[in-house]
Amino acid sequence: DLSNLTKRTLKTGNLREAVKLPRNESNLNEWIATNCVDLFNEVAVLYELCAEDADRFTQPGEGFPPNFEYRWADGATHTKPIRCSSPEYVNYVLNWIEDQIHNEDIFIVAE
């Protein structure tokens, strides 16, 4: 399983080896897709660990860094940028990435 191979390789501390296409794999696109999904899952877990602290930022313009204005537009639901707090922005980004991962035109599901 590609995901398990990545996890085993990362434990060696050698990032060059971790990102190389394994010798026994021939599908570079599948390797890239697997690593994208794994990275997304790791980032989502890390964000969940600190999301509770971010709940105190509820107004547009609030968050980290202070006085930084976050704007979101995805070209579909939000065609014009909207102002949002930093936690809202992160949620928009994570949801957008998840939608991309589930889009079979981008991440083709093997038969």
Side-chain angles (χ1 to χ4, degrees):
D1 176 59
L2 291 176
S3 181
N4 288 331
L5 176 63
T6 302
K7 290 173 185 164
R8 283 194 315 272
T9 309
L10 283 173
K11 289 181 183 176
T12 67
N14 185 339
L15 290 179
R16 284 191 192 270
E17 284 300 313
V19 298
K20 278 186 185 177
L21 180 67
R23 284 184 221 138
N24 60 340
E25 289 294 329
S26 60
N27 190 331
L28 178 62
N29 289 333
E30 184 178 344
W31 176 245
I32 291 170
T34 298
N35 282 283
C36 286
V37 172
D38 285 347
L39 176 63
F40 168 75
N41 290 334
E42 294 294 329
V43 169
V45 167
L46 287 173
Y47 181 67
E48 286 301 315
L49 292 173
C50 62
E52 188 176 304
D53 183 56
D55 285 345
R56 60 192 166 114
F57 303 118
T58 59
Q59 299 301 310
E62 285 187 342
F64 184 83
N67 301 317
F68 187 85
E69 184 173 278
Y70 289 87
R71 291 179 176 245
W72 174 256
D74 59 10
T77 307
H78 301 286
T79 55
K80 292 185 178 183
I82 59 168
R83 293 180 70 220
C84 52
S85 65
S86 59
E88 289 172 321
Y89 182 81
V90 172
N91 284 325
Y92 282 127
V93 170
L94 292 176
N95 287 330
W96 182 85
I97 293 170
E98 189 168 20
D99 288 345
Q100 304 311 300
I101 288 171
H102 292 258
N103 181 342
E104 291 185 14
D105 291 331
I106 299 171
F107 287 83
I108 299 168
V109 178
E111 296 293 324

